[in-house]
Amino acid sequence: TRGTQVTAMSAPRTIHDFGGFPQALFDVQYPAPGSPSLALETQELLKPEPVELSNQWGLDHGCWSILKAMFPQANIPVLQLSLDIYKTPAQHHALAQQLASLRQKGVLIVGSGNIVHNLGLINWSASGRGEDWAVDFDNAARDILTSDRPTEIVQLLRHPHAGKAVPTLEHFLPIAYIAGIAEARGSRLQAIVGGCELASLSMTSYALS
């Protein structure tokens, strides 16, 4: 949807926003509490960007699938910020810089997605490896993100393999937020997990201290 939203309810619901997967995934619940106060603070931080406080949305699989592994007891407050698909990658990056001060307050910021994410080109027999184009794009992303210029990641959308690696932006944009926060804090990202999977997915993950 147009505009930016943040979950503001005290008990966000678990959203299963996918199809074609085993029933076990649809049965997953992640009953983490929300944080209405942090939602208000986030809304203030992002001004003059108009941010809507949502009591209808919840935690989608891009959120709970990550946090369930990190915090299986679902005992930490969680809120989720939406991605306005009408914004450019550079605008998303600029928005992220406004969130950087939350880290000083002990807020964990997670940007979940895949830098290479093309479900249409998956090869189920390619366990533990990627096609050459996927590896090339993933390596180019790593060179940028672990340098002192991580915000140049948005320029990677001009890469020769960007059309295959990033057919849609929703999995790529979260890394623009993490890069923006890194720049605002004067910190460098570190690759903590690397590599491609099933030919057309990158599982490379980055951490920011």
Side-chain angles (χ1 to χ4, degrees):
T1 59
R2 185 180 293 275
T4 301
Q5 299 185 38
V6 63
T7 54
M9 65 287 283
S10 58
R13 63 192 177 99
T14 303
I15 298 174
H16 303 89
D17 53 332
F18 45 71
F21 290 95
Q23 182 60 41
L25 280 177
F26 293 92
D27 292 339
V28 171
Q29 293 294 315
Y30 193 73
S35 179
S37 61
L38 183 57
L40 280 168
E41 185 175 353
T42 301
Q43 185 185 50
E44 286 295 314
L45 272 177
L46 293 180
K47 284 183 176 180
E49 170 71 18
V51 176
E52 179 183 348
L53 299 178
S54 173
N55 289 298
Q56 303 298 319
W57 190 25
L59 308 180
D60 63 35
H61 82 279
C63 178
W64 61 255
S65 66
I66 305 298
L67 294 184
K68 189 170 179 62
M70 297 172 67
F71 305 100
Q73 300 302 313
N75 56 357
I76 62 165
V78 177
L79 59 80
Q80 187 169 351
L81 187 74
S82 73
L83 293 172
D84 183 351
I85 62 172
Y86 296 95
K87 282 184 168 54
T88 66
Q91 287 174 318
H92 282 285
H93 157 256
L95 200 62
Q97 291 180 299
Q98 295 172 245
L99 296 173
S101 63
L102 291 176
R103 289 293 299 123
Q104 295 173 313
K105 298 183 177 184
V107 176
L108 174 64
I109 301 174
V110 179
S112 62
N114 297 93
I115 289 173
V116 180
H117 186 270
N118 192 322
L119 296 182
L121 295 178
I122 278 181
N123 178 352
W124 295 102
S125 66
S127 178
R129 62 184 177 85
E131 293 288 345
D132 288 347
W133 59 265
V135 173
D136 186 34
F137 191 86
D138 193 45
N139 286 341
R142 184 187 298 223
D143 288 343
I144 293 171
L145 290 168
T146 57
S147 74
D148 59 1
R149 58 185 199 286
T151 56
E152 290 185 14
I153 192 63
V154 296
Q155 304 303 321
L156 196 61
L157 294 172
R158 301 175 181 173
H159 189 279
H161 299 314
K164 282 185 177 181
V166 189
T168 57
L169 286 173
E170 72 275 8
H171 274 268
F172 182 84
L173 287 175
I175 199 61
Y177 279 77
I178 301 305
I181 292 168
E183 180 185 79
R185 290 176 57 83
S187 302
R188 293 181 74 144
L189 289 163
Q190 180 180 12
I192 55 173
V193 175
C196 292
E197 184 65 59
L198 301 179
S200 61
L201 301 174
S202 164
M203 306 309 294
T204 305
S205 300
Y206 299 87
L208 177 65
S209 60

